[in-house]
Amino acid sequence: MNDLAPLLTPEGRALLDEVRDTDPAHELAVATRLRREHPAALVSAALGQARLRQRAVAKFGAEDARRMFFTPNGVEQSTRASVATYRAECLRAAGVRSVADLCCGIGGDAIAFARAGIRVLAVDRDPLTCEAARANADALGLADLIEVREADVTEVDTAGHDAVFVDPARRSSGRGRIFDPEAYSPPLSWAVSAALGAPLGLLKIAPGIPHEAIPAEATAEWVSDGGDVKEAVLWFGPDVTPGARRATLLPALAGIHVTPGTMLPDPAVRPVGRYLYEPDGAVIRAHLVAEVAEEVDGGLIDPTIAYVTSDEAHRTPYATAYEITDTLPFNVKKLKALLRERGVGTLTVKKRGSAVEPEELRRRVLPKPHGAGSVTVFLTRADGAPTMLLGHPVR
C-alpha cells in the first residue's frame, strides 16, 4: 500500500465498512467475492487496512481505530492513546496553546494534543505517513487544529510555537530497532538542540537508553501503562529541573519524582522476608527502586536484582506485592514434586537474573496441568545464589 487516496473515496470508504470485521482466516473468500464488483487493488487495500485497524484497537480503542487510517509502521510505532492523552494534558496544564510535533507519524500524539485544545503543526517527511495523518485529523474532526506538513523536520521553523515535541525514528527497515541514539532519524543530538531551542521541549527516546546518554539539562521521565513500560521522554525548559528523574504509572497517574539532591542510595541487601515487591518497569528504568524499598521498609534480595523484600505488607502503587510461602535453592525436581504435592494446576513463572526460560520450566514441572491450586514462582538470585521463590499476589 503506497497510496490511501482510493480508500478515501466513497467506494473505498464503503468497502472499508464492509470488510471491517473480516476474520483473517476468511480473507481469501471475502476477497474473491468482492473482486467481482470492485478493483482487485482496492479490495486488497481495504482488507489490509482492516487488518491494521484491528491491530490498532489495543492502542487507540475500537471507536477511534475503526475510523482511522494506518500504515504498518504507524501501528507499530505510534504512541498509545492513553500515554499521548496524559502528555497532552501535561502540556495543556503548562499553558501550551501550540506545539510543533516533529516526526508526527500517523498523528497519534497530534490527535491527543488537538483534543486537549492545542493547535498542532505535525511534520513528517514520508508522503504516505502524512497522508494518513491528514486523513486521521479529518476522520476525527480535528482538521481545524492540526496542520500536517510533509517536510524534513530539520528544515522546519518552529519559532512561534509554545512547545516542540520530537519523536525520532528508532527503527530502520533494514536493521530493525536502533540502539545508538546518534543513529536515530534525526539524531539525538539534533533533537536535543531542537528541544532546547523551544520554550518547552519534549524529546521521546527509547526506554532503555543508558542514563549516561541523557543530557544534563533534561528531566527524564519513564511512562508505563498497565505495568508495561511504553516510553521515555526528556523534558527541557525553564521550569524543568536538570538531572531529575520521574516514573509515571498509568492509568492511576501515580508517580515518583526525584531531583539530584533527593535521590536515595542503593538499598541494603537482606534475606528474603515474608513479602516480595516487584517494582513497576518505569520505576526500574528510572533507577528509583530505592524509593520503593524505603516506602515498604524493605531491602533488595540481591545487589543486582530489582526485587524488594520486607516482613510487612505495604500498599504501594509502584510495585506488585506477593506473599512468599517458600524460598528454595533452584532445583527443578524439587519444584515439580512440590507442585504435584500441593495440587497446583496454574503456574505463573517470573524471572529476573536467571537464564531459565519460563515456558521451558513450565513444560518440565507441569507437563499436564491438573489441580485447582495456583502459584507464582520467581526464578532469581538471592544474595548471589540461584533461588526459587513461591508465592501468591497480595489482594
Side-chain angles (χ1 to χ4, degrees), residues 345-381:
T346 303
L347 177 65
T348 300
V349 181
K350 293 175 172 284
K351 74 165 190 171
R352 190 164 288 163
S354 171
V356 179
E357 291 299 325
E359 286 303 320
E360 175 61 24
L361 180 73
R362 188 180 288 106
R363 284 194 295 268
R364 292 176 64 184
V365 301
L366 211 64
K368 296 181 180 179
H370 61 277
S374 63
V375 70
T376 298
V377 59
F378 295 86
L379 306 177
T380 187
R381 292 194 306 272

Tab-separated table of all heavy atoms in Angstrom, residues 345-381:
chain	number	residue	atom	x	y	z
A	345	GLY	N	-2.417	-26.432	39.546
A	345	GLY	CA	-2.768	-26.579	38.140
A	345	GLY	C	-2.468	-25.340	37.318
A	345	GLY	O	-2.417	-25.390	36.093
A	346	THR	N	-2.286	-24.216	37.999
A	346	THR	CA	-1.986	-22.957	37.319
A	346	THR	C	-0.678	-22.407	37.861
A	346	THR	O	-0.566	-22.115	39.059
A	346	THR	CB	-3.104	-21.923	37.536
A	346	THR	OG1	-4.348	-22.466	37.077
A	346	THR	CG2	-2.799	-20.638	36.775
A	347	LEU	N	0.308	-22.281	36.967
A	347	LEU	CA	1.639	-21.841	37.376
A	347	LEU	C	2.035	-20.598	36.598
A	347	LEU	O	2.037	-20.587	35.376
A	347	LEU	CB	2.661	-22.955	37.124
A	347	LEU	CG	4.126	-22.626	37.431
A	347	LEU	CD1	4.316	-22.390	38.923
A	347	LEU	CD2	5.035	-23.743	36.937
A	348	THR	N	2.360	-19.542	37.322
A	348	THR	CA	2.899	-18.325	36.717
A	348	THR	C	4.386	-18.275	37.015
A	348	THR	O	4.785	-18.395	38.177
A	348	THR	CB	2.216	-17.072	37.283
A	348	THR	OG1	0.811	-17.149	37.017
A	348	THR	CG2	2.786	-15.810	36.640
A	349	VAL	N	5.196	-18.127	35.976
A	349	VAL	CA	6.652	-18.120	36.152
A	349	VAL	C	7.181	-16.734	35.803
A	349	VAL	O	6.921	-16.201	34.719
A	349	VAL	CB	7.340	-19.179	35.269
A	349	VAL	CG1	8.853	-19.162	35.508
A	349	VAL	CG2	6.765	-20.561	35.552
A	350	LYS	N	7.912	-16.144	36.733
A	350	LYS	CA	8.575	-14.871	36.504
A	350	LYS	C	10.061	-15.077	36.728
A	350	LYS	O	10.449	-15.930	37.523
A	350	LYS	CB	8.047	-13.787	37.458
A	350	LYS	CG	6.596	-13.401	37.200
A	350	LYS	CD	6.115	-12.425	38.253
A	350	LYS	CE	4.752	-11.880	37.903
A	350	LYS	NZ	4.802	-10.866	36.826
A	351	LYS	N	10.862	-14.277	36.034
A	351	LYS	CA	12.301	-14.434	36.232
A	351	LYS	C	13.001	-13.095	36.188
A	351	LYS	O	12.563	-12.155	35.513
A	351	LYS	CB	12.899	-15.368	35.184
A	351	LYS	CG	13.039	-14.773	33.795
A	351	LYS	CD	13.970	-15.646	32.957
A	351	LYS	CE	14.328	-14.947	31.643
A	351	LYS	NZ	15.380	-15.658	30.926
A	352	ARG	N	14.058	-13.012	36.935
A	352	ARG	CA	14.930	-11.847	36.922
A	352	ARG	C	16.283	-12.324	37.418
A	352	ARG	O	16.416	-12.785	38.543
A	352	ARG	CB	14.363	-10.739	37.806
A	352	ARG	CG	15.089	-9.408	37.668
A	352	ARG	CD	14.262	-8.290	38.251
A	352	ARG	NE	13.104	-7.986	37.404
A	352	ARG	CZ	12.055	-7.293	37.811
A	352	ARG	NH1	11.999	-6.851	39.045
A	352	ARG	NH2	11.062	-7.057	36.974
A	353	GLY	N	17.294	-12.264	36.549
A	353	GLY	CA	18.611	-12.751	36.922
A	353	GLY	C	18.769	-14.243	36.775
A	353	GLY	O	19.651	-14.843	37.390
A	354	SER	N	17.931	-14.860	35.942
A	354	SER	CA	18.004	-16.304	35.701
A	354	SER	C	18.020	-16.548	34.203
A	354	SER	O	17.332	-15.852	33.437
A	354	SER	CB	16.809	-17.020	36.325
A	354	SER	OG	16.774	-18.382	35.927
A	355	ALA	N	18.790	-17.548	33.778
A	355	ALA	CA	18.868	-17.888	32.353
A	355	ALA	C	17.775	-18.863	31.939
A	355	ALA	O	17.604	-19.142	30.749
A	355	ALA	CB	20.237	-18.485	32.036
A	356	VAL	N	17.025	-19.398	32.880
A	356	VAL	CA	15.988	-20.382	32.587
A	356	VAL	C	14.807	-19.694	31.914
A	356	VAL	O	14.347	-18.631	32.363
A	356	VAL	CB	15.524	-21.085	33.882
A	356	VAL	CG1	14.414	-22.087	33.574
A	356	VAL	CG2	16.695	-21.776	34.557
A	357	GLU	N	14.299	-20.286	30.842
A	357	GLU	CA	13.147	-19.745	30.146
A	357	GLU	C	11.868	-20.190	30.842
A	357	GLU	O	11.683	-21.384	31.093
A	357	GLU	CB	13.130	-20.188	28.686
A	357	GLU	CG	14.237	-19.578	27.843
A	357	GLU	CD	14.141	-18.062	27.810
A	357	GLU	OE1	13.006	-17.530	27.810
A	357	GLU	OE2	15.195	-17.395	27.813
A	358	PRO	N	10.963	-19.269	31.161
A	358	PRO	CA	9.732	-19.625	31.882
A	358	PRO	C	8.907	-20.714	31.214
A	358	PRO	O	8.431	-21.633	31.891
A	358	PRO	CB	8.966	-18.294	31.929
A	358	PRO	CG	10.047	-17.260	31.930
A	358	PRO	CD	11.107	-17.803	31.012
A	359	GLU	N	8.733	-20.637	29.893
A	359	GLU	CA	7.906	-21.649	29.222
A	359	GLU	C	8.541	-23.034	29.311
A	359	GLU	O	7.853	-24.038	29.456
A	359	GLU	CB	7.672	-21.253	27.763
A	359	GLU	CG	6.689	-20.118	27.589
A	359	GLU	CD	5.338	-20.432	28.211
A	359	GLU	OE1	4.882	-21.586	28.097
A	359	GLU	OE2	4.755	-19.525	28.830
A	360	GLU	N	9.860	-23.090	29.184
A	360	GLU	CA	10.547	-24.370	29.278
A	360	GLU	C	10.386	-24.959	30.671
A	360	GLU	O	10.137	-26.160	30.834
A	360	GLU	CB	12.034	-24.180	28.947
A	360	GLU	CG	12.882	-25.440	29.124
A	360	GLU	CD	12.450	-26.590	28.235
A	360	GLU	OE1	11.825	-26.339	27.183
A	360	GLU	OE2	12.733	-27.751	28.610
A	361	LEU	N	10.532	-24.132	31.706
A	361	LEU	CA	10.347	-24.624	33.075
A	361	LEU	C	8.917	-25.104	33.278
A	361	LEU	O	8.691	-26.161	33.885
A	361	LEU	CB	10.675	-23.521	34.075
A	361	LEU	CG	10.518	-23.950	35.548
A	361	LEU	CD1	11.641	-24.894	35.952
A	361	LEU	CD2	10.477	-22.739	36.474
A	362	ARG	N	7.952	-24.356	32.773
A	362	ARG	CA	6.556	-24.760	32.946
A	362	ARG	C	6.297	-26.118	32.311
A	362	ARG	O	5.593	-26.954	32.875
A	362	ARG	CB	5.636	-23.693	32.339
A	362	ARG	CG	4.155	-23.922	32.646
A	362	ARG	CD	3.274	-22.853	32.036
A	362	ARG	NE	3.408	-21.582	32.733
A	362	ARG	CZ	4.054	-20.531	32.257
A	362	ARG	NH1	4.638	-20.584	31.069
A	362	ARG	NH2	4.126	-19.421	32.945
A	363	ARG	N	6.862	-26.356	31.141
A	363	ARG	CA	6.672	-27.663	30.487
A	363	ARG	C	7.310	-28.786	31.296
A	363	ARG	O	6.781	-29.892	31.354
A	363	ARG	CB	7.273	-27.631	29.083
A	363	ARG	CG	6.430	-26.886	28.055
A	363	ARG	CD	6.903	-27.171	26.649
A	363	ARG	NE	8.248	-26.652	26.414
A	363	ARG	CZ	8.498	-25.444	25.914
A	363	ARG	NH1	7.494	-24.636	25.628
A	363	ARG	NH2	9.745	-25.053	25.728
A	364	ARG	N	8.425	-28.474	31.934
A	364	ARG	CA	9.130	-29.524	32.672
A	364	ARG	C	8.467	-29.852	34.005
A	364	ARG	O	8.418	-31.012	34.400
A	364	ARG	CB	10.578	-29.102	32.904
A	364	ARG	CG	11.412	-29.038	31.630
A	364	ARG	CD	12.807	-28.517	31.895
A	364	ARG	NE	13.584	-29.396	32.766
A	364	ARG	CZ	14.807	-29.128	33.206
A	364	ARG	NH1	15.381	-27.982	32.869
A	364	ARG	NH2	15.448	-29.977	33.979
A	365	VAL	N	7.966	-28.852	34.692
A	365	VAL	CA	7.432	-29.109	36.041
A	365	VAL	C	5.923	-29.293	36.051
A	365	VAL	O	5.370	-29.828	37.025
A	365	VAL	CB	7.814	-27.979	37.012
A	365	VAL	CG1	9.322	-27.835	37.100
A	365	VAL	CG2	7.161	-26.654	36.634
A	366	LEU	N	5.243	-28.876	34.995
A	366	LEU	CA	3.789	-29.026	34.952
A	366	LEU	C	3.376	-29.445	33.546
A	366	LEU	O	2.657	-28.738	32.847
A	366	LEU	CB	3.125	-27.698	35.324
A	366	LEU	CG	1.769	-27.762	36.034
A	366	LEU	CD1	1.904	-28.429	37.382
A	366	LEU	CD2	1.208	-26.355	36.205
A	367	PRO	N	3.827	-30.644	33.112
A	367	PRO	CA	3.559	-31.076	31.734
A	367	PRO	C	2.077	-31.279	31.453
A	367	PRO	O	1.612	-31.033	30.346
A	367	PRO	CB	4.342	-32.384	31.618
A	367	PRO	CG	4.503	-32.863	33.024
A	367	PRO	CD	4.607	-31.646	33.862
A	368	LYS	N	1.337	-31.732	32.457
A	368	LYS	CA	-0.107	-31.934	32.303
A	368	LYS	C	-0.805	-31.243	33.471
A	368	LYS	O	-1.003	-31.870	34.526
A	368	LYS	CB	-0.462	-33.427	32.266
A	368	LYS	CG	0.114	-34.152	31.061
A	368	LYS	CD	-0.281	-35.617	31.064
A	368	LYS	CE	0.288	-36.347	29.859
A	368	LYS	NZ	-0.081	-37.783	29.856
A	369	PRO	N	-1.128	-29.965	33.325
A	369	PRO	CA	-1.728	-29.226	34.433
A	369	PRO	C	-2.985	-29.900	34.967
A	369	PRO	O	-3.870	-30.296	34.210
A	369	PRO	CB	-2.063	-27.866	33.803
A	369	PRO	CG	-1.148	-27.751	32.638
A	369	PRO	CD	-0.985	-29.141	32.116
A	370	HIS	N	-3.039	-30.080	36.262
A	370	HIS	CA	-4.237	-30.592	36.918
A	370	HIS	C	-4.225	-30.081	38.356
A	370	HIS	O	-3.178	-29.734	38.900
A	370	HIS	CB	-4.268	-32.124	36.892
A	370	HIS	CG	-3.117	-32.764	37.590
A	370	HIS	ND1	-1.901	-32.952	36.969
A	370	HIS	CD2	-2.989	-33.240	38.859
A	370	HIS	CE1	-1.065	-33.529	37.828
A	370	HIS	NE2	-1.688	-33.711	38.984
A	371	GLY	N	-5.358	-29.996	38.929
A	371	GLY	CA	-5.467	-29.474	40.279
A	371	GLY	C	-5.996	-28.054	40.255
A	371	GLY	O	-5.884	-27.341	39.260
A	372	ALA	N	-6.553	-27.643	41.383
A	372	ALA	CA	-7.199	-26.340	41.475
A	372	ALA	C	-6.271	-25.267	42.011
A	372	ALA	O	-6.613	-24.092	41.995
A	372	ALA	CB	-8.437	-26.436	42.367
A	373	GLY	N	-5.096	-25.654	42.485
A	373	GLY	CA	-4.195	-24.689	43.097
A	373	GLY	C	-3.477	-23.820	42.082
A	373	GLY	O	-3.343	-24.172	40.908
A	374	SER	N	-3.012	-22.665	42.542
A	374	SER	CA	-2.233	-21.783	41.691
A	374	SER	C	-1.072	-21.227	42.500
A	374	SER	O	-1.157	-21.072	43.721
A	374	SER	CB	-3.092	-20.642	41.142
A	374	SER	OG	-3.557	-19.827	42.199
A	375	VAL	N	0.013	-20.907	41.818
A	375	VAL	CA	1.189	-20.370	42.486
A	375	VAL	C	2.019	-19.570	41.494
A	375	VAL	O	1.978	-19.825	40.280
A	375	VAL	CB	2.037	-21.504	43.114
A	375	VAL	CG1	2.714	-22.346	42.035
A	375	VAL	CG2	3.075	-20.954	44.094
A	376	THR	N	2.732	-18.595	42.008
A	376	THR	CA	3.704	-17.841	41.212
A	376	THR	C	5.093	-18.227	41.682
A	376	THR	O	5.354	-18.243	42.896
A	376	THR	CB	3.519	-16.325	41.383
A	376	THR	OG1	2.212	-15.960	40.922
A	376	THR	CG2	4.563	-15.551	40.578
A	377	VAL	N	5.961	-18.579	40.745
A	377	VAL	CA	7.339	-18.908	41.101
A	377	VAL	C	8.269	-17.876	40.470
A	377	VAL	O	8.140	-17.540	39.290
A	377	VAL	CB	7.721	-20.344	40.673
A	377	VAL	CG1	7.566	-20.552	39.179
A	377	VAL	CG2	9.143	-20.682	41.113
A	378	PHE	N	9.164	-17.361	41.281
A	378	PHE	CA	10.164	-16.402	40.822
A	378	PHE	C	11.502	-17.120	40.688
A	378	PHE	O	11.988	-17.715	41.663
A	378	PHE	CB	10.312	-15.252	41.820
A	378	PHE	CG	9.079	-14.400	41.958
A	378	PHE	CD1	8.074	-14.750	42.843
A	378	PHE	CD2	8.921	-13.254	41.189
A	378	PHE	CE1	6.937	-13.967	42.977
A	378	PHE	CE2	7.791	-12.465	41.309
A	378	PHE	CZ	6.790	-12.827	42.204
A	379	LEU	N	12.058	-17.085	39.490
A	379	LEU	CA	13.392	-17.625	39.259
A	379	LEU	C	14.359	-16.450	39.329
A	379	LEU	O	14.320	-15.552	38.490
A	379	LEU	CB	13.470	-18.293	37.889
A	379	LEU	CG	12.418	-19.367	37.596
A	379	LEU	CD1	12.579	-19.889	36.174
A	379	LEU	CD2	12.509	-20.500	38.607
A	380	THR	N	15.227	-16.447	40.321
A	380	THR	CA	16.044	-15.274	40.545
A	380	THR	C	17.308	-15.648	41.296
A	380	THR	O	17.673	-16.829	41.384
A	380	THR	CB	15.210	-14.217	41.320
A	380	THR	OG1	15.954	-13.019	41.406
A	380	THR	CG2	14.803	-14.709	42.691
A	381	ARG	N	17.965	-14.651	41.837
A	381	ARG	CA	19.112	-14.856	42.718
A	381	ARG	C	18.836	-14.159	44.038
A	381	ARG	O	18.275	-13.066	44.064
A	381	ARG	CB	20.398	-14.282	42.108
A	381	ARG	CG	20.896	-15.012	40.889
A	381	ARG	CD	22.350	-14.589	40.548
A	381	ARG	NE	22.492	-13.157	40.412
A	381	ARG	CZ	22.294	-12.492	39.274
A	381	ARG	NH1	21.936	-13.147	38.197
A	381	ARG	NH2	22.452	-11.178	39.223
